Amino acid sequence: MADAPEGFTPLEIDQEVIRFIGPVFTNKTSPALFGFRIEERHCNWRGILHGGILSLIADMLLTGNAVRSGENAIGMVTASLTVDFIGRANNGDWVDIEVVVRKVGGKMAFADCVFFVERNIIARASAVFSVVKGPATEEEAKPGGE
Protein backbone atom coordinates (compact mmCIF):
# COMPACT_ATOMS: atom_id res chain seq x y z
CA MET A 1 0.00 0.00 0.00
CA ALA A 2 1.21 3.50 -0.79
CA ASP A 3 2.34 5.60 2.12
CA ALA A 4 0.62 8.84 3.08
CA PRO A 5 1.56 11.89 5.14
CA GLU A 6 0.48 12.03 8.75
CA GLY A 7 -3.22 12.80 9.15
CA PHE A 8 -4.36 10.86 6.06
CA THR A 9 -6.25 7.57 6.13
CA PRO A 10 -7.41 5.40 3.21
CA LEU A 11 -10.74 6.41 1.73
CA GLU A 12 -12.99 3.42 2.30
CA ILE A 13 -15.00 2.92 -0.85
CA ASP A 14 -15.59 -0.60 -2.06
CA GLN A 15 -15.47 0.01 -5.81
CA GLU A 16 -13.34 -1.82 -8.35
CA VAL A 17 -12.08 1.46 -9.83
CA ILE A 18 -10.71 2.50 -6.43
CA ARG A 19 -8.88 -0.80 -6.10
CA PHE A 20 -7.50 -0.21 -9.60
CA ILE A 21 -6.17 3.33 -9.04
CA GLY A 22 -6.00 3.49 -5.26
CA PRO A 23 -5.46 3.91 -2.59
CA VAL A 24 -6.88 7.42 -2.34
CA PHE A 25 -6.64 9.01 1.11
CA THR A 26 -8.80 11.42 3.07
CA ASN A 27 -7.59 13.87 5.68
CA LYS A 28 -8.91 13.21 9.19
CA THR A 29 -9.18 16.89 10.10
CA SER A 30 -10.28 18.39 6.78
CA PRO A 31 -13.14 16.64 4.97
CA ALA A 32 -12.36 18.57 1.75
CA LEU A 33 -8.71 17.45 1.54
CA PHE A 34 -7.68 14.22 -0.16
CA GLY A 35 -4.49 12.79 -1.59
CA PHE A 36 -2.68 9.92 -3.25
CA ARG A 37 0.85 8.73 -3.88
CA ILE A 38 1.82 8.39 -7.54
CA GLU A 39 2.99 4.92 -8.45
CA GLU A 40 4.56 3.67 -11.68
CA ARG A 41 1.19 2.28 -12.82
CA HIS A 42 -0.25 5.83 -12.72
CA CYS A 43 2.38 7.17 -15.13
CA ASN A 44 2.38 7.50 -18.89
CA TRP A 45 5.18 6.32 -21.18
CA ARG A 46 7.16 9.46 -20.34
CA GLY A 47 7.14 8.55 -16.66
CA ILE A 48 4.84 11.36 -15.52
CA LEU A 49 1.38 11.15 -14.01
CA HIS A 50 -1.21 10.31 -16.68
CA GLY A 51 -3.99 12.88 -17.07
CA GLY A 52 -6.60 10.14 -17.19
CA ILE A 53 -5.80 9.21 -13.59
CA LEU A 54 -6.32 12.83 -12.51
CA SER A 55 -9.61 12.98 -14.42
CA LEU A 56 -10.87 9.78 -12.84
CA ILE A 57 -9.94 10.89 -9.31
CA ALA A 58 -11.49 14.33 -9.90
CA ASP A 59 -14.77 12.83 -11.08
CA MET A 60 -14.91 10.44 -8.14
CA LEU A 61 -14.11 13.02 -5.45
CA LEU A 62 -16.24 15.82 -6.88
CA THR A 63 -19.26 13.55 -7.25
CA GLY A 64 -18.93 12.09 -3.77
CA ASN A 65 -18.49 15.44 -2.08
CA ALA A 66 -21.38 17.03 -3.97
CA VAL A 67 -23.65 14.13 -2.98
CA ARG A 68 -22.63 14.44 0.68
CA SER A 69 -23.22 18.19 0.76
CA GLY A 70 -26.73 17.98 -0.71
CA GLU A 71 -29.79 17.58 1.43
CA ASN A 72 -31.32 14.11 1.74
CA ALA A 73 -28.17 12.41 0.33
CA ILE A 74 -29.34 12.79 -3.26
CA GLY A 75 -27.67 10.91 -6.11
CA MET A 76 -25.81 12.55 -9.00
CA VAL A 77 -24.40 11.75 -12.41
CA THR A 78 -21.66 13.72 -14.13
CA ALA A 79 -22.97 16.01 -16.88
CA SER A 80 -19.66 17.78 -17.54
CA LEU A 81 -16.08 17.43 -16.34
CA THR A 82 -13.37 19.86 -17.38
CA VAL A 83 -9.76 19.25 -16.39
CA ASP A 84 -6.91 21.70 -16.97
CA PHE A 85 -3.42 20.21 -16.79
CA ILE A 86 -1.13 22.92 -15.49
CA GLY A 87 2.01 21.15 -14.30
CA ARG A 88 3.55 17.73 -14.00
CA ALA A 89 3.99 15.15 -11.28
CA ASN A 90 6.31 12.18 -11.11
CA ASN A 91 6.36 8.66 -9.76
CA GLY A 92 6.65 8.83 -5.97
CA ASP A 93 5.15 12.32 -5.60
CA TRP A 94 2.37 12.91 -3.06
CA VAL A 95 -0.61 14.72 -4.62
CA ASP A 96 -2.92 16.83 -2.43
CA ILE A 97 -6.44 17.45 -3.70
CA GLU A 98 -8.64 20.25 -2.35
CA VAL A 99 -12.35 19.93 -3.15
CA VAL A 100 -14.92 22.74 -3.06
CA VAL A 101 -18.63 22.12 -3.65
CA ARG A 102 -20.00 25.38 -5.08
CA LYS A 103 -23.73 24.66 -5.19
CA VAL A 104 -26.14 21.76 -4.94
CA GLY A 105 -29.56 22.61 -6.32
CA GLY A 106 -32.66 20.64 -7.12
CA LYS A 107 -31.54 19.77 -10.66
CA MET A 108 -27.84 20.64 -10.96
CA ALA A 109 -24.74 20.69 -8.75
CA PHE A 110 -21.33 22.32 -9.23
CA ALA A 111 -17.94 21.46 -7.72
CA ASP A 112 -14.24 22.17 -8.29
CA CYS A 113 -10.93 20.74 -7.15
CA VAL A 114 -7.27 21.61 -7.38
CA PHE A 115 -4.38 19.13 -7.45
CA PHE A 116 -1.08 20.14 -5.81
CA VAL A 117 2.40 18.64 -5.54
CA GLU A 118 4.40 20.42 -2.84
CA ARG A 119 1.91 23.33 -3.03
CA ASN A 120 2.49 23.72 -6.79
CA ILE A 121 -0.72 23.41 -8.80
CA ILE A 122 -0.52 20.57 -11.32
CA ALA A 123 -4.20 20.49 -12.37
CA ARG A 124 -7.66 21.84 -11.67
CA ALA A 125 -11.04 20.34 -12.43
CA SER A 126 -14.62 21.61 -12.56
CA ALA A 127 -17.72 19.48 -12.77
CA VAL A 128 -21.43 19.89 -13.31
CA PHE A 129 -23.75 17.16 -12.10
CA SER A 130 -27.32 16.26 -12.87
CA VAL A 131 -29.21 15.54 -9.67
CA VAL A 132 -30.89 12.14 -9.69
CA LYS A 133 -34.18 12.03 -7.84
CA GLY A 134 -34.36 9.73 -4.86
CA PRO A 135 -31.85 8.88 -2.16
CA ALA A 136 -28.26 8.11 -2.95
CA THR A 137 -26.97 4.60 -2.58
CA GLU A 138 -24.70 3.86 0.37
CA GLU A 139 -21.66 4.07 -1.95
CA GLU A 140 -22.74 7.44 -3.41
CA ALA A 141 -23.05 8.96 0.05
CA LYS A 142 -19.38 8.20 0.94
CA PRO A 143 -16.82 11.04 0.55
CA GLY A 144 -15.45 9.86 -2.80
CA GLY A 145 -18.40 7.76 -3.93
CA GLU A 146 -19.91 8.01 -7.33
Side-chain angles (χ1 to χ4, degrees):
M1 176 186 282
D3 63 325
E6 187 174 330
F8 284 87
T9 59
L11 189 58
E12 295 183 24
I13 299 175
D14 188 26
Q15 292 182 0
E16 190 64 33
V17 70
I18 300 302
R19 287 187 290 276
F20 175 70
I21 63 163
V24 174
F25 296 86
T26 184
N27 188 284
K28 291 186 259 185
T29 58
S30 177
L33 182 61
F34 300 86
F36 73 101
R37 177 81 56 197
I38 301 171
E39 299 175 8
E40 186 175 345
R41 63 194 171 111
H42 300 132
C43 296
N44 63 22
W45 65 274
R46 291 179 181 235
I48 61 175
L49 178 61
H50 194 286
I53 297 295
L54 286 177
S55 300
L56 179 61
I57 291 172
D59 189 43
M60 175 190 68
L61 293 177
L62 293 172
T63 304
N65 281 271
V67 167
R68 282 187 319 123
S69 67
E71 293 182 22
N72 302 322
I74 52 182
M76 297 185 194
V77 294
T78 306
S80 173
L81 177 67
T82 302
V83 183
D84 298 314
F85 303 103
I86 300 166
R88 64 181 278 165
N90 301 302
N91 186 19
D93 286 345
W94 174 260
V95 179
D96 283 307
I97 308 143
E98 294 179 3
V99 175
V100 176
V101 177
R102 302 289 177 193
K103 179 181 179 180
V104 177
K107 294 185 179 186
M108 304 295 287
F110 305 85
D112 306 306
C113 67
V114 179
F115 294 83
F116 298 91
V117 172
E118 297 179 5
R119 300 311 304 163
N120 295 311
I121 297 174
I122 63 165
R124 64 182 177 202
S126 295
V128 178
F129 304 102
S130 178
V131 174
V132 178
K133 298 299 179 188
T137 66
E138 187 174 315
E139 283 302 308
E140 287 174 319
K142 291 183 179 178
E146 183 174 358

